[in-house]
Structure formats: C-alpha cells, structure tokens
Amino acid sequence: MVDHRLDDDYEALRQSVRDFARKEVAPVIGDYYEREEFPYPLVRTMGEMGLFGLPIPEEHGGMGGDYFALCLALEELARVDSSVAITLEAGVSLGAMPILRFGNEQQKKQWLPKLASGEVLGAFGLTEPGGGSDAGSTRTTAVLDGDEWVINGSKAFITNSGTDITGFVTITAVTGTKPDGRKEISTIIVPSGTPGFTVAPKYSKVGWNASDTHELAFTDCRVPAENLLGERGRGYAQFLSILTEGRVAIAALAVGLAQGCVDECLRYVGEREAFGRKIGTYQALQFKIADMEARAHTARLAYYDAASRMLRGEDYRKQAAIAKLVSSNAAMDNARDATQIFGGYGFMNETPVGRFYRDAKILEIGEGTSEVQRMLIARELGLETD
Ligand SMILES: Cc1cc2nc3c(=O)[nH]c(=O)nc-3n(C[C@H](O)[C@H](O)[C@H](O)COP(=O)(O)OP(=O)(O)OC[C@H]3O[C@@H](n4cnc5c(N)ncnc54)[C@H](O)[C@@H]3O)c2cc1C
C-alpha cells in the first residue's frame, strides 16, 4: 500500500514544531546568527518540548517516538532556521543515538535521560583535520594502559562539542591492528572537561552561525576503559550505521530549508512591486517558484521513503544516500532561486533567504559529501571501483 499521509500523532508533532519555529525561533534567530551566538534559551525550550527525546524510548527518559518523528521536527525547524535544526539533528542523531544503539546499560543510564531532555548535548567526533570522506583513515589513537584508554589525536568540525551544556564527545580512534593488517577502530566516550581534552575556539563559519562547531585535541587524555562504546574494533561499522540514519535526518533538514525558501518567496512576491505590478504576477517568477516547490516535494518523498524503509527494518542505505543527495541539491537550488527573487534584499543578512543561502551549501558537505552519496549509490547498484 502506498500512503504518504501522516497519522494524527505525526501531524500534531509537526504542527507544534511549526508553531514553535514561527512564533519563538523566527523573531530572534537572526540576532543570534549575526552575533554567532548559541541560542541557549531556544535549545532549552526544544528540550522541554521533548524534541531531543523524540526517538528515545520512554524507559530512558525519551518520548518513545521514532526516527521519522525526529525528521518531521527537523523539517519544520529548518523551514525557519537551520542552526537550531542542526543543533537538534546533531544532538539526537550524532549525540544520543550512538549511546542508544551501542551503549551498555550503565552508559544508557548515565547519559540518555539527560540527552533526551536536552539538558546535556553529546557530540560525535569522526572527522579529523586530515580528512572526513575517507573516514577509515582515522589517525587518532587510543592505547589501553591498565584500566584506562590514553587518547592522542585531533578531530575537526565537531558540532555541539563546545557548548556550556556539552557532556561528552564520542570519538573514533585506532585501538590496534586487525589480523588482516587493517586498522582496528573503536568508539570511546570522552566526557567534557577530561584533562588532556581541549576544545579550540569556535570556527568562523559561512553558515549555521548560531550552531556550535569546534576542533578538538586529545593529548595523553585518559578515560576509564569502560568508556569504550560497544564492542572493541566495531567503531567503523558503528559510525557507518549512525551516518546512514543521519543522512535521512539531514535530508529532512534540507527539505525544510528548501520549503522555507518557497514560504518566503510566496510572501515576498505578493508584496513587492516592479513596473507597476506585483512581481508574483510575472510568469518568469511563478515558474521559478513552481520549480522550487517541485524540488522540495520530490526531496520530501525521497526522505519519507528512506525513513519508512528504516522503520520497517529494511535495508535503506541506497534510499538514504539518494534522499541526502537530492534534498541537499534542492536546498541549494531553492536558496539560489529565492535569493534571486528577493533581489538586493536577498543579499542582506537581515532577510531569512540571505541566511538560507549561506546555510544551504554545508548540506552538500556535512555527513557525507554529495560525491560520497554518489559513491554509495553506485556501490548499491553493484558498480565496482578500482
Ligand atoms: C559545520 C560543519 C559541521 C560538521 N559537524 C561534524 C560532526 O559533528 N562530526 C564529524 O565527525 N564531522 C563533522 N563535520 C565534518 C564533515 O562531515 C566533513 O567536512 C565531510 O565529511 C567532508 O570531509 P572533509 O571536509 O575532510 O573533505 P574531504 O574528505 O577532504 O573531501 C574534499 C573533496 O574531495 C571529495 N572527495 C573525497 N574523496 C573522494 C572520492 N573518493 N571520489 C570523489 N570525490 C571525493 C569530497 O567529496 C570533497 O568534495 C562537519 C563539517 C562542517 C563544515
């Protein structure tokens, strides 16, 4: 059966996030963005609304929903602003999900209730200064010394890693060599404030300016052996599955941005006049907006499809990569067209479309570049690379 209608629970969630985004985020986010400041009060409210706990079971303090619910929330937030949306996306998909999926009972008990309430943010440190796409090229090392891991290395571009409420970063590190000579990569939880773990000042970014991103360094940083997340040597497989899920969430965020461009343009072309007519009466602009709506709609169907396969427990790797690829394209194309429709005002930071333009590009880069998505799709089609 094919049915893309949302049930009442999903619809109610979507409506409440839409109201929050329009009434509470839209009026203030421009100032946070300009000051490059993390919006703590908004994040606190998102926590109180239960958004950080959407796919986390109630027994761990969450809402007992599913990953699709998270995607709907991300789409509605990103329709208004991507910095708050990526803070939620990274907080749940990269911060909480690794603990939920791979943590032992003690780790779940320690972290999940605080992550689900948004009281604490977790970060995910995979990318290193030397490379992100080739994620297996990890250079950070963790050596077991008695009952402690001694970590040395660095991580680049890590979201939510330096806020006042960041509780830990989960990092991938080389913990040995496998019998076949390949690196043994494991995942280790490093709590904030651990001696030897330093967080560099925040990056100056092109977009996502009200979100938190830092480079991290580990110098003889010691954490207890029990901070290993899941099985030793399974780090590579773990982050691949986390990134597959994350692609669906980023796709939803990208659809939100693409739809937000349509929202803003519909409003603007009904107000702005040129040559004595509302610019919305010119077919050239109507066609542009029609194309934008078509892109947002088709990209939404792609992420709905990937999410529904995920929830049914089917293999959804190809659909997740397709959803990430087409939705980030849609976001970029719509941001470019929306900026054009706004004319000079589109180039001003004060307009949401100026912000959308700056926020769109990263969607083709983060959580796997568009080239990486094409590599994944080609692999799923059985195409070999040398
Ligand atoms: C704002 C921001 C937030 C981020 N948050 C996080 C986070 O929370 N955690 C985290 O771990 N990482 C995070 N990242 C890192 C992000 O995932 C990486 O930037 C991304 O995966 C690309 O890696 P790279 O920057 O090292 O580019 P590279 O891997 O150096 O790639 C450079 C270029 O080469 C292309 N390329 C590479 N290999 C191939 C190939 N085989 N075939 C064709 N083309 C190829 C790439 O597509 C790209 O165009 C974040 C990045 C940013 C900018």
Side-chain angles (χ1 to χ4, degrees):
M1 192 179 78
V2 179
D3 188 352
H4 290 296
R5 282 172 303 178
L6 302 182
D7 70 19
D8 291 348
D9 287 346
Y10 286 138
E11 204 47 77
L13 169 73
R14 189 157 75 153
Q15 195 54 52
S16 72
V17 179
R18 183 176 299 182
D19 289 346
F20 165 72
R22 291 186 180 172
K23 291 181 188 150
E24 298 188 46
V25 178
V28 299
I29 197 63
D31 287 343
Y32 282 108
Y33 198 88
E34 212 169 312
R35 295 196 302 268
E36 302 192 0
E37 188 181 321
F38 190 76
Y40 287 101
L42 295 176
V43 172
R44 195 176 314 120
T45 308
M46 282 154 58
E48 286 160 6
M49 290 170 69
L51 302 188
F52 286 93
L54 279 173
I56 297 176
E58 289 175 19
E59 62 180 296
H60 296 302
M63 301 293 281
D66 56 36
Y67 211 85
F68 183 59
L70 172 68
C71 292
L72 289 176
L74 290 169
E75 183 185 336
E76 289 305 327
L77 283 175
R79 225 166 140 164
V80 167
D81 178 66
S82 291
S83 292
V84 290
I86 191 60
T87 300
L88 177 66
E89 194 278 339
V92 182
S93 124
L94 302 179
M97 294 314 276
I99 307 283
L100 178 66
R101 299 267 187 247
F102 312 116
N104 58 33
E105 279 315 304
Q106 169 53 30
Q107 289 163 338
K108 288 182 186 171
K109 214 168 133 200
Q110 181 179 2
W111 294 112
L112 285 180
K114 292 185 213 159
L115 293 167
S117 68
E119 190 188 325
V120 158
L121 289 173
F124 184 71
L126 169 65
T127 307
E128 302 200 346
S133 302
D134 182 8
S137 68
T138 307
R139 288 189 195 151
T140 297
T141 57
V143 178
L144 204 50
D145 178 25
D147 56 2
E148 289 180 326
W149 292 105
V150 184
I151 305 167
N152 281 286
S154 52
K155 298 288 173 179
F157 313 129
I158 308 305
T159 305
N160 288 343
S161 59
T163 73
D164 296 348
I165 54 171
T166 302
F168 65 87
V169 57
T170 304
I171 60 154
T172 47
V174 180
T175 48
T177 309
K178 291 190 166 180
D180 62 5
R182 285 183 303 147
K183 288 174 180 174
E184 177 196 82
I185 296 177
S186 306
T187 314
I188 297 171
I189 302 169
V190 186
S192 301
T194 304
F197 168 23
T198 40
V199 179
K202 67 180 181 206
Y203 291 99
S204 170
K205 304 193 292 274
V206 169
W208 284 359
N209 284 340
S211 81
D212 181 78
T213 326
H214 300 263
E215 183 165 337
L216 310 177
F218 303 89
T219 311
D220 292 331
C221 172
R222 289 176 172 268
V223 297
E226 62 259 27
N227 283 23
L228 180 72
L229 185 67
E231 215 179 300
R232 182 171 174 166
R234 295 284 300 158
Y236 193 70
Q238 287 171 347
F239 71 66
L240 286 185
S241 73
I242 289 297
L243 290 181
T244 304
E245 290 181 351
R247 273 174 203 131
V248 186
I250 291 286
L253 194 157
V255 169
L257 191 152
Q259 195 68 55
C261 291
V262 178
D263 296 342
E264 289 300 320
C265 287
L266 285 176
R267 187 184 53 73
Y268 192 69
V269 298
E271 293 168 1
R272 183 76 173 171
E273 293 188 2
F275 299 95
R277 284 162 54 182
K278 296 268 192 287
I279 60 172
T281 61
Y282 292 113
Q283 200 177 45
L285 298 199
Q286 291 178 357
F287 279 11
K288 238 189 224 317
I289 295 174
D291 281 344
M292 290 163 66
E293 175 70 7
R295 287 183 203 120
H297 178 73
T298 48
R300 180 177 299 107
L301 293 182
Y303 99 70
Y304 275 26
D305 177 47
S308 64
R309 285 169 192 267
M310 177 207 286
L311 297 189
R312 287 198 301 269
E314 297 170 8
D315 184 353
Y316 65 102
R317 285 173 295 185
K318 184 174 78 178
Q319 289 76 15
I322 291 173
K324 164 78 165 57
L325 179 66
V326 301
S327 61
S328 53
N329 278 345
M332 269 300 275
D333 289 347
N334 282 13
R336 186 197 57 233
D337 285 352
T339 303
Q340 190 67 19
I341 287 172
F342 268 65
Y345 289 108
F347 201 61
M348 296 297 117
N349 281 329
E350 72 202 54
T351 60
V353 296
R355 198 156 25 88
F356 291 161
Y357 190 73
R358 291 162 67 184
D359 288 342
K361 183 61 205 167
I362 179 62
L363 297 167
E364 295 186 321
I365 299 170
E367 294 200 34
T369 63
S370 293
E371 290 75 19
V372 166
Q373 305 313 318
R374 292 185 177 98
M375 282 159 58
L376 292 168
I377 296 164
R379 190 179 304 153
E380 290 297 321
L381 291 172
L383 296 170
E384 299 286 337
T385 48
D386 50 26

